[in-house]
Amino acid sequence: MLKFRNESPVIPRDCQSCPIREATVCRALADGRIDVLQDFKLGDRILPAHSHLYRPGDRPAELYNLLDGWIALYRILEDGTRQILQVVLPGAFIGYQPSLEGPMLHGAECVTDVSVCVFPRKAFPDLLEKYPAVARRVVWLIAQDLMEAQDHLTNVGGRPGIERVAHFLLHIYLRMRQNHPADREDTLELPLTQELIADALGMTPVYVNRILRQLRERGVVMLRNRTLWIMDLEGLGRLAEIPSLDAVEP
Amino acid sequence: MLKFRNESPVIPRDCQSCPIREATVCRALADGRIDVLQDFKLGDRILPAHSHLYRPGDRPAELYNLLDGWIALYRILEDGTRQILQVVLPGAFIGYQPSLEGPMLHGAECVTDVSVCVFPRKAFPDLLEKYPAVARRVVWLIAQDLMEAQDHLTNVGGRPGIERVAHFLLHIYLRMRQNHPADREDTLELPLTQELIADALGMTPVYVNRILRQLRERGVVMLRNRTLWIMDLEGLGRLAEIPSLDAVEP
DNA sequence: CGTATCATTGACGTCGGTCAATTCGTGTGG
DNA sequence: CCACACGAATTGACCGACGTCAATGATACG
């Protein structure tokens, strides 16, 4: 089977009307100066589900803002095990790492069809240098990622199966609600396979399935046909042990 | 039993002769301008082993550079489980998080006696604003922490016991060797209890002990009296599956 | 409608956890 | 200098959460 090559056409789009202007790095620049980023960006790109924005070891020439769709960041171990590091939602900034020129230490796979906004990687340090507000914003974004990674680690390292899955689901639910307030409060479209959830949580798909059954039988949540039904938000929170999910932005 | 309060005396020290000048944030400023940080810092502080630099929920008024000793960053779950997020070695920058004024999401416990260099938390954003080189440095440091957190997550989520412990030990060994080249190549003072290692790796102390026995019997490493003997670095690397540990600094 | 992918379930095995006893090492007080 | 105390390390016996293997069902898609 052929894989799509990683070079769909780049389609320029107007920053003014961007749906995620108030998220990712772009939030750093107010109305008057959004043209700075408009000039800086290379354009937009559309990628099909299951394609890879980049793979571990690649040296992409770009950085990305996720405009639409879901992406999973992952690592692969030698025995083939895949660890999902982060489930990335629209409005995130992707591809930054300590060594900008070095090979990527993780990969980014499209879970759904995806559109991204593309920045040139090489010129990025200059942008940070020139616009302290952008630098401040990037610091905040990465610190946020770090916090989430530590949260994820705590979940995988410290919680038994049911609570681990509960935490994962609630965490995504809250993140979605935060930035993408939607029609129904108790339902959420969740394009994740059970295998992906398993790889995120360090479990097997079979066991994830059994835990989802437990959660359904206990009347907590129900996951069917890529749709998550929250039957008992209270109870889910008790299992997941999430007090809240706020962080004041600068 | 009384705990030390968190307010040991702050002892000013000269940045010029600082042992970790070339690490943490201070690396950002060259010889001529080190005085900027000298003026900015509040002084140094000494803390005894088992004391806490800060606890989850605290709102410390400071940020820290670790000068000497080992610190463990951790979170506590409601059932009492402790997850070690990171083992911090001298030269690290500690205490930054997305919400600078908000309560700390993790704690920092001294594994050994420790000395830290203290920065004022409130004035830090101004420092970033004023000195882009410092901002760039902080971005790099946090991105580095993120990468390590992802590494840790991959280890805990993806590897079975022996490999997990092997990876943990080798990782610390390499980090130590990188910044603190020491006398002997095959030996390392490791002030970590088996309980702490267990909490870092999401395992129980008993099982960590059994795995250490296996590693000893296989002739890979030997951990006794806070001293780690590397008997077979090659074999340890094969178990841990670490290709290298480099990241080019800006 | 045939085929591929994902979800579901049962039977069984094992990795790692639990409980509890013993030993070791280090520091302290008499 | 020895006796004791206390935390950490070590070990055995047992158990359960989670993994493995494999078969069957549901869904979507061309």
Side-chain angles (χ1 to χ4, degrees):
Chain A
M1 190 211 323
L2 274 182
K3 279 284 177 195
F4 288 86
R5 297 228 31 221
N6 203 352
E7 285 138 28
S8 316
V10 170
I11 309 152
R13 169 151 63 162
D14 189 12
C15 283
Q16 209 70 34
S17 60
C18 178
I20 59 160
R21 253 192 71 180
E22 287 305 310
T24 184
V25 285
C26 309
R27 186 193 167 100
L29 296 179
D31 267 342
R33 316 183 64 190
I34 192 71
D35 57 317
V36 171
L37 289 177
Q38 178 79 64
D39 293 348
F40 188 71
K41 77 179 277 191
L42 299 177
D44 295 345
R45 182 178 298 159
I46 293 181
L47 294 148
H50 306 299
S51 65
H52 291 246
L53 191 53
Y54 50 83
R55 289 169 192 273
D58 284 357
R59 297 168 183 271
E62 304 157 339
L63 291 167
Y64 310 94
N65 292 307
L66 182 53
L67 296 173
D68 191 51
W70 293 38
I71 283 181
L73 308 186
Y74 65 91
R75 286 205 195 177
I76 305 281
L77 299 182
E78 290 203 353
D79 67 352
T81 309
R82 176 178 72 158
Q83 176 67 46
I84 303 296
L85 302 174
Q86 198 185 344
V87 173
V88 181
L89 303 183
F93 176 56
I94 316 179
Y96 200 94
Q97 66 175 14
S99 165
L100 264 188
E101 319 85 35
M104 294 305 295
L105 299 167
H106 64 270
E109 176 176 351
C110 302
V111 175
T112 64
D113 291 350
V114 147
S115 67
V116 292
C117 161
V118 183
F119 284 171
R121 201 176 181 87
K122 248 193 154 156
F124 200 74
D126 290 341
L127 185 74
L128 294 189
E129 192 86 22
K130 207 162 167 189
Y131 299 94
V134 174
R136 212 181 327 131
R137 182 73 184 149
V138 168
V139 170
W140 190 86
L141 288 168
I142 300 181
Q144 188 76 12
D145 280 351
L146 173 58
M147 194 201 66
E148 293 222 354
Q150 292 179 339
D151 204 53
H152 193 166
L153 170 63
T154 304
N155 194 29
V156 172
R159 277 190 262 258
I162 315 186
E163 303 176 16
R164 203 184 294 183
V165 173
H167 178 98
F168 179 79
L169 294 177
L170 181 53
H171 185 104
I172 287 190
Y173 172 80
L174 291 174
R175 282 203 293 151
M176 273 306 270
R177 281 288 166 274
Q178 203 170 39
N179 300 319
H180 313 276
D183 18 302
R184 298 196 49 176
E185 275 296 318
D186 63 344
T187 227
L188 175 65
E189 204 186 329
L190 201 77
L192 311 175
T193 65
Q194 292 180 8
E195 186 178 7
L196 191 143
I197 297 175
D199 286 351
L201 298 179
M203 306 167 43
T204 59
V206 177
Y207 196 54
V208 166
N209 184 285
R210 291 191 167 117
I211 284 175
L212 287 174
R213 169 156 51 123
Q214 283 186 55
L215 289 173
R216 188 185 336 125
E217 285 169 353
R218 285 206 205 178
V220 181
V221 296
M222 186 150 160
L223 179 53
R224 196 173 277 279
N225 294 341
R226 336 246 110 168
T227 301
L228 181 70
W229 263 55
I230 309 248
M231 304 157 75
D232 176 10
L233 186 56
E234 191 70 18
L236 185 60
R238 238 175 296 118
L239 276 174
E241 195 184 297
I242 294 186
S244 69
L245 190 78
D246 34 33
V248 183
E249 311 195 14
Chain B
M1 191 212 320
L2 274 182
K3 280 281 177 195
F4 287 87
R5 295 227 33 221
N6 204 353
E7 285 138 28
S8 317
V10 169
I11 309 152
R13 169 149 65 161
D14 188 13
C15 285
Q16 209 70 34
S17 60
C18 179
I20 58 159
R21 253 193 69 180
E22 287 305 310
T24 183
V25 286
C26 308
R27 188 194 166 100
L29 296 178
D31 269 343
R33 316 184 63 190
I34 191 71
D35 57 319
V36 170
L37 289 177
Q38 178 78 66
D39 293 348
F40 187 71
K41 76 178 278 191
L42 298 177
D44 295 345
R45 181 179 299 159
I46 294 181
L47 294 149
H50 306 298
S51 65
H52 291 245
L53 191 53
Y54 51 83
R55 292 170 190 272
D58 283 358
R59 297 170 182 268
E62 303 157 341
L63 292 167
Y64 310 94
N65 293 307
L66 182 52
L67 296 172
D68 191 50
W70 293 39
I71 282 180
L73 307 186
Y74 66 90
R75 284 205 197 178
I76 305 282
L77 298 183
E78 291 205 350
D79 68 352
T81 310
R82 178 178 70 160
Q83 176 66 48
I84 302 295
L85 302 173
Q86 197 186 344
V87 173
V88 181
L89 303 183
F93 176 56
I94 315 179
Y96 200 94
Q97 66 175 16
S99 166
L100 263 189
E101 320 85 34
M104 293 304 297
L105 299 167
H106 64 270
E109 175 176 352
C110 302
V111 175
T112 65
D113 291 349
V114 148
S115 67
V116 293
C117 161
V118 182
F119 284 171
R121 200 176 182 86
K122 250 199 152 151
F124 201 73
D126 290 340
L127 185 74
L128 294 189
E129 192 87 22
K130 205 160 170 190
Y131 298 93
V134 174
R136 212 180 327 132
R137 182 70 184 150
V138 168
V139 170
W140 190 87
L141 287 168
I142 300 180
Q144 187 78 13
D145 281 350
L146 174 58
M147 194 200 66
E148 293 222 353
Q150 292 179 338
D151 204 54
H152 193 168
L153 170 61
T154 304
N155 194 29
V156 172
R159 277 189 262 260
I162 316 185
E163 302 175 18
R164 202 183 296 184
V165 173
H167 178 98
F168 179 81
L169 294 176
L170 181 52
H171 184 104
I172 288 191
Y173 173 80
L174 291 174
R175 283 202 294 151
M176 273 306 271
R177 281 288 166 274
Q178 203 171 39
N179 301 318
H180 314 275
D183 18 302
R184 299 197 48 177
E185 274 297 316
D186 62 345
T187 226
L188 174 65
E189 203 185 328
L190 201 76
L192 310 175
T193 65
Q194 293 180 7
E195 187 179 5
L196 192 144
I197 296 174
D199 286 348
L201 298 179
M203 305 166 45
T204 58
V206 177
Y207 195 53
V208 167
N209 183 284
R210 292 194 165 112
I211 284 176
L212 287 174
R213 168 156 52 122
Q214 282 188 54
L215 288 172
R216 189 187 334 127
E217 286 169 353
R218 285 205 204 178
V220 182
V221 297
M222 186 151 161
L223 178 54
R224 196 174 278 280
N225 294 343
R226 336 248 110 167
T227 302
L228 181 70
W229 264 56
I230 309 251
M231 304 157 76
D232 176 11
L233 186 55
E234 191 71 18
L236 184 61
R238 237 175 298 117
L239 275 174
E241 194 185 298
I242 294 186
S244 69
L245 189 79
D246 35 32
V248 183
E249 310 196 15

